[in-house]
Amino acid sequence: MAEHEGALGAVYAAKRPEEVAALYDGWASTYDADMAAAGYRHPSICLALLSRHLPRGAAPLLDAGAGTGLVGEWLGIMGYPHVEALDISPGMLAVAERKGAYKALHRLALGGELPFADGAFAGIVSAGVFTTGHVGVEGLSELIRICRTGGVIVLTVKDTVWEDGFAAGIDELERRNVIRCVEETEPYVSMPGEKGTVPGRGLALRRL
Ligand SMILES: C[S@@+](CC[C@H](N)C(=O)[O-])C[C@H]1O[C@@H](n2cnc3c(N)ncnc32)[C@H](O)[C@@H]1O
């Protein structure tokens, strides 16, 4: 399989969260154009899944790993009135802030504890974050905790992360009646214009 080059290759190769944040800080100003050129699909898939499983008007929503706001900029138009952004990269959040789509921006890291109350959000969306070198299955438990009963978590999961404990984690959470996976897409290539992109899938999880 071909290696990714440039900014994408670097973020996938990052070993520590601070390194990931610094690399995204440096990429922030050209991220939207680069992803448009790559035909980036995760935001569209996440928006489709969210609007299928979470009623218009549901609030508040959290965009976890919001980046420059490629998802958030559509959510208001789609009828979700209050969306907050979380990301580890201040540079990405600064671009997101300029779009004016978020009611609050949080510079925080997924994978550890989050400073939100249990059930704080009606819905959570996380596009392109459960991927190589970013966040693995360990990031899911806090998102579940801060999603209210009956709420929905929509996320994408790269196949390598899926096979590296994510699928087993979902099975276990379903067995314990913590969540129900209400939709799982077929694996698809998220960046058709980027050679060697490992497929991923979209999931909609209902908090029980
Ligand atoms: C591929 S981008 C996706 C951004 C946006 N969701 C989108 O679809 O365009 C991945 C984002 O996850 C963020 N990220 C990576 N690791 C993170 C972590 N541990 N906690 C929070 N954000 C993280 C990066 O800073 C980056 O903005």
Side-chain angles (χ1 to χ4, degrees):
M1 180 180 308
E3 292 287 325
H4 289 288
E5 292 173 356
L8 196 63
V11 295
Y12 283 167
K15 297 279 180 279
R16 289 173 298 111
E18 315 83 77
E19 210 183 324
V20 171
L23 288 163
Y24 273 104
D25 285 347
W27 190 8
S29 62
T30 57
Y31 176 90
D32 286 8
D34 291 350
M35 292 309 243
Y40 182 50
R41 292 166 160 170
H42 282 329
S44 308
I45 299 287
C46 284
L47 287 162
L49 289 175
L50 199 70
S51 63
R52 191 179 278 164
H53 295 287
L54 194 67
R56 179 184 172 85
L61 264 52
L62 180 69
D63 187 356
T68 58
L70 288 184
V71 175
E73 60 188 313
W74 297 104
L75 289 173
I77 298 169
M78 299 288 294
Y80 300 106
H82 182 119
V83 188
E84 302 188 13
L86 176 160
D87 204 279
I88 199 171
S89 158
M92 295 290 271
L93 283 175
V95 177
E97 186 170 27
R98 288 201 287 276
K99 293 181 180 170
Y102 295 103
K103 298 279 191 247
L105 297 107
H106 308 278
R107 185 187 171 189
L108 293 169
L110 298 169
E113 283 181 21
L114 297 174
F116 301 112
D118 295 358
F121 294 97
I124 299 173
V125 59
S126 190
V129 179
F130 289 83
T131 185
T132 315
H134 289 38
V135 184
V137 67
E138 75 285 350
L140 188 58
S141 57
E142 273 294 270
L143 294 185
I144 291 171
R145 181 186 66 76
I146 65 174
C147 183
R148 70 180 57 148
T149 302
V152 167
I153 302 172
V154 164
L155 73 168
T156 64
V157 184
K158 185 177 267 192
D159 280 359
T160 42
V161 174
W162 181 254
E163 283 145 23
D164 189 21
F166 207 98
I170 295 284
D171 284 350
E172 170 65 11
L173 289 161
E174 285 199 294
R175 199 186 55 72
R176 287 170 38 219
N177 286 323
V178 176
I179 53 155
R180 176 137 310 116
C181 182
V182 289
E183 187 160 354
E184 176 182 336
T185 71
E186 293 297 316
Y188 59 89
V189 172
S190 60
M191 290 178 290
E194 182 74 19
K195 242 177 24 180
T197 300
V198 174
R201 71 195 69 202
L203 298 175
L205 309 175
R206 174 85 57 202
R207 176 75 162 106
L208 302 178

